[in-house]
Amino acid sequence: MSLRDRVAVGAFRAGWRFARAVPEDLAVTASRHAADALARRGGPRVEQLRRNLARARPDAAPAELDVLVRDGLRSYARYWLDAFRLPAWTRERTVGAARFERGQDLRAALADGRGAVAFLGHLGNWDHAAAWSATELAPVVTVAERLRPEQVYAEFLAFRRSLGVEVLPLGDPASFGTLLRRLRAGAFVPLLADRDLTGAGVEVDFLAGRVRMAQGPATLALATGAPLFPIGLFHEVRQGRRVLVLDVADRVPAPARRPGEGPREHRRRAVAEMTQACADALAEVVVAHPDEWHVLQPVFAPVVPPPPGR
């Protein structure tokens, strides 16, 4: 293992131990101070977050964006803190600190054994959402990017298995077939899809820009007939309690085949239209809760100026 990899593994393990060993109130305060320090220091990823969040708040003044970036980093730090502590949460806390909204159709599909697919963005705390779903809905199967170094990836797999979630490697040719089998057996397959990590994504309109999003959710729904639901994740504080909201949007229907349209053309159009519908639902949540959209990487296609004279 290289020195860089050893440092990454050590930092991950130190964060894991700190989050679990320190009293929660103190850990929350420490995570907030760390986020504020990062916001003040800036850097490429902080500036990228600022550019991304400006899409959700295009009319915000610089000072407003400063606050939004700070709040976004605080939210992201809290995500990591809660993720590290999740395996030690009781079932009562995992369930009690979440609220399921507008999810009757999703729950009914899973209760009938039909399986279901969810389109998620990097919002709120998707690990908590998966743990809640594994407890309250159905077996959860998803995919995840292979992290480097490999030892960190292996520990993340073990962590998510401890939450009751089966994780398949993104990009592995066998993963798609496994997802098909799990769906047909009645599993719930939530997929983080607001970033295309494969190069085979669908270009959609999103927050007045063009973004490539993963085609996996729509492709799986079409291949199996399982219903596809966009789900927004965000936190609310009511009566002093911080609660993760899983807000299930309307099912995204598969468009009918047009006269004279071949199967391949229909599939391509259906994937594009279904992914766009999911992107539209995601955009509503990001606009309402921009500080909970944890994307510090470039996602928007660059704007190419027109040639001179046009």
Side-chain angles (χ1 to χ4, degrees), residues 93-117:
R93 179 169 181 182
T94 300
V95 173
R99 189 170 72 251
F100 192 56
E101 292 191 349
R102 300 193 296 164
Q104 299 91 332
D105 290 345
L106 171 57
R107 194 185 288 276
L110 293 170
D112 289 345
R114 289 181 283 152
V117 184

Side-chain angles (χ1 to χ4, degrees), residues 39-59:
R40 288 191 297 270
R41 186 168 68 246
R45 297 193 73 186
V46 174
E47 288 307 308
Q48 184 61 59
L49 176 64
R50 184 185 185 90
R51 287 191 290 271
N52 291 343
L53 293 180
R55 293 279 186 166
R57 288 286 188 273
D59 298 326

Side-chain angles (χ1 to χ4, degrees), residues 110-162:
L110 293 170
D112 289 345
R114 289 181 283 152
V117 184
F119 183 107
L120 305 181
H122 287 78
L123 282 158
N125 189 322
W126 47 95
D127 287 311
H128 182 190
W132 181 90
S133 299
T135 299
E136 295 295 298
L137 294 178
V140 173
V141 187
T142 189
V143 298
E145 179 185 10
R146 278 193 177 275
L147 300 174
R148 293 289 183 268
E150 186 68 23
Q151 196 165 350
V152 169
Y153 178 68
E155 294 193 18
F156 257 102
L157 289 184
F159 153 63
R160 287 180 170 129
R161 279 196 298 269
S162 75

